[in-house]
Structure formats: structure tokens, C-alpha cells
Amino acid sequence: MDWFQVVFLALLQGLTEFLPVSSSAHLILPSQLFGWTDQGLAFDVGVHIGSLTAVMVYFRQDIWRMLTAWTGSLTGQGRSVDSVLAWYVILATIPAVIAGFMFNSAIDHYGRSILVIAGTTLIFGALLWWADISRTEVRPLEKITLKDAVIIGLAQAVALIPGTSRSGITITAGLMLGLNRQSAARFSFLLSIPVILGAGLLKGLELLETGTGDQWTMIISGTVLAAISAYCCIHLFLKWLDRVGMLPFVIYRMLLGLVLLAVYFLV
């Protein structure tokens, strides 16, 4: 890669990882439109580490409270809102882990098509719009239930299909279950931590097995840029969410899906 590709892809990954617009839909476009070669496994690991760093730094206080309360629940210190939330994050992660082991090969083989990504971008964008306009917004995150966590976890497993958007479908599920926008988004971001960590570890193990001759200066730079852009993205998204709602992202997804269809049929 050259430096322009490093900056472009790192910023793109950091921004789209947490917005409900699908990072996979975006990362396929540069190679199709500009003829770029694959960025390499080491770069993928780097931007995953950047995204993970961003979300953990942003929610560091929440994570510390949840971790402390969860550890206390294991030692018999009783049940609290934070310990329950920690258990729900763990529980909601399980479906994605199981689906990843069962269907990863099939998804890699059949799901990387631009046509598939265009379809899921459009379909789940429309579902996000419907969930947002029909929301009831009656419950804060502290009122999330076991049933909510299971359903949102199952929705997250569907996001293994490229173009779905992990954040998009988990926020959609949260809104449909009656969580307010802030609560649905915050639970989605907390859920991203074990998922991104797991994906980064798997890619890291693969990288250790294959080795790499990549330029580490570019990889480290990509990691830092991805972390900064992801942190800014999370902050601005939560700040503006109640003001702008989901409609801008829905419109963007519709346009992106149409662009992908045009690329598939015309390019």
C-alpha cells in the first residue's frame, strides 16, 4: 500500500465500524473502484486493534464498573445493575461466536459478493428505518432484560453476513424491543468489545502462522488513525443520535446499496 491507501482505509474502517452503515460494504468499494490490492492481514489486525482501543477508552468507566461488579457476582457479593449488564454482554456474544465457527467458511465463500452486500445493505437499512420510526422508547439500558440480550445477540450473529452492519442490526433489534436510541446504541457498542477482540485475536493468530513482510510503520499508523477516527465517531454518534435519528444513515445506506448494484452490473 501507499500512504494514501493507509490513511483512507484506516479512517474508513474507524468510521464505519461503529456507524450503522456496514464496514464490509465500504471496504469492498476501493478495490472495485480503484483497483487496489488487498491491504493485507497485518493491516486488518492493526485497524481492529485501533477500533477496539477506541471503544474501550470511550467506555472505560462503564467497562470498569461492569468488570468489577461481574467479578463481585462471581464471589458472592450480590447482584447489581452493572453485573447484570456484564452478564448480558457475555450472553449476547455467544450466538455470534457459535455462528462464526459454524458458518465462517460458507460466508467467506458466498457472502463476499458485491450483489450480496448490496442486498443486505438495502434490506437491513430499510429495517433500521422501520425500527426507528415505530420505536416506543420506553426503557433505558438499566431496564434491559435477559430476553432482550438474547434477541440482540441473535441479531448480532446475522451481522456475519457482509453488508448487514453489526452496529446497525443490533441497534435495530434494540429499538424494536423498546430500548431508547441511546440505550440501543450503547449496548451495541459494549457488545462490539468481545466481538472485535475475538476477531482481532483470530486474525492475529493467523498472522503469526503465515508471517508478514509488511511495512510496520504503515501498519502502526493505520492502527492509530483507526483508533482516533473510531473514537470521534462513537462520541459524535451518541451526541447527535437523539437529534438526527437514524434517517441520515438509512438514506446513506440506500444510496450505498444502489452504488454497489451499479458497480456489480456496470463496472
Side-chain angles (χ1 to χ4, degrees), residues 229-247:
S229 61
Y231 185 93
C232 293
C233 174
I234 295 170
H235 175 72
L236 294 175
F237 180 75
L238 291 175
K239 181 179 179 180
W240 293 338
L241 181 57
D242 288 329
R243 188 183 311 168
V244 302
M246 295 297 172
L247 185 58

Side-chain angles (χ1 to χ4, degrees), residues 14 19 36 40 58 92 103 132 135 140 145 147-148 155 187 193 214 216 221 232 237 240 242 255 263:
L19 292 179
W36 292 354
Y58 191 87
F103 304 114
D132 193 41
R135 69 190 186 281
T145 67
K147 177 184 174 182
D148 297 332
F187 191 68
I193 295 172
D214 290 300
W216 286 102
S221 299
C232 293
F237 180 75
W240 293 338
D242 288 329
L255 294 174
V263 169

Side-chain angles (χ1 to χ4, degrees), residues 16 19-29 111-129 158-159 161-166 168-169 172 246 248-261:
T16 58
L19 292 179
V21 295
S22 175
S23 59
S24 58
H26 286 78
L27 294 177
I28 196 173
L29 275 176
R112 301 295 176 184
S113 162
I114 293 183
L115 187 60
V116 171
I117 295 175
T120 51
T121 298
L122 292 168
I123 292 169
F124 289 105
L127 188 62
L128 175 62
W129 171 76
V158 177
I161 304 172
T164 302
S165 173
R166 192 210 62 81
I169 196 168
T172 297
M246 295 297 172
F249 305 105
V250 171
I251 293 173
Y252 182 79
R253 285 186 69 128
M254 297 297 108
L255 294 174
L256 177 61
L258 293 175
V259 169
L260 289 170
L261 288 177

Side-chain angles (χ1 to χ4, degrees), residues 62-210:
D62 304 69
I63 294 170
W64 177 251
R65 288 198 311 270
M66 290 166 59
L67 183 61
T68 303
W70 179 76
T71 304
S73 71
L74 294 177
T75 58
Q77 294 182 15
R79 175 189 177 103
S80 68
V81 171
D82 288 319
S83 68
V84 169
L85 186 58
W87 279 112
Y88 285 171
V89 168
I90 295 170
L91 178 65
T93 302
I94 295 174
V97 173
I98 295 174
F101 279 112
M102 292 179 62
F103 304 114
N104 187 58
S105 297
I107 290 170
D108 279 341
H109 186 71
Y110 298 107
R112 301 295 176 184
S113 162
I114 293 183
L115 187 60
V116 171
I117 295 175
T120 51
T121 298
L122 292 168
I123 292 169
F124 289 105
L127 188 62
L128 175 62
W129 171 76
W130 181 84
D132 193 41
I133 64 171
S134 62
R135 69 190 186 281
T136 54
E137 290 196 357
V138 296
R139 289 184 292 140
L141 187 56
E142 293 77 14
K143 298 295 184 181
I144 192 171
T145 67
L146 176 61
K147 177 184 174 182
D148 297 332
V150 170
I151 293 174
I152 295 173
L154 292 172
Q156 180 172 245
V158 177
L160 291 170
I161 304 172
T164 302
S165 173
R166 192 210 62 81
S167 62
I169 196 168
T170 50
I171 291 173
T172 297
L175 292 174
M176 293 174 67
L177 291 166
L179 295 177
N180 60 47
R181 284 172 175 164
Q182 287 288 331
S183 298
R186 293 182 76 86
F187 191 68
S188 172
F189 291 150
L190 290 172
L191 270 185
S192 74
I193 295 172
V195 171
I196 297 175
L197 178 61
L201 287 174
L202 287 176
K203 287 179 178 290
L205 291 174
E206 186 178 343
L207 180 62
L208 289 175
E209 293 175 358
T210 59

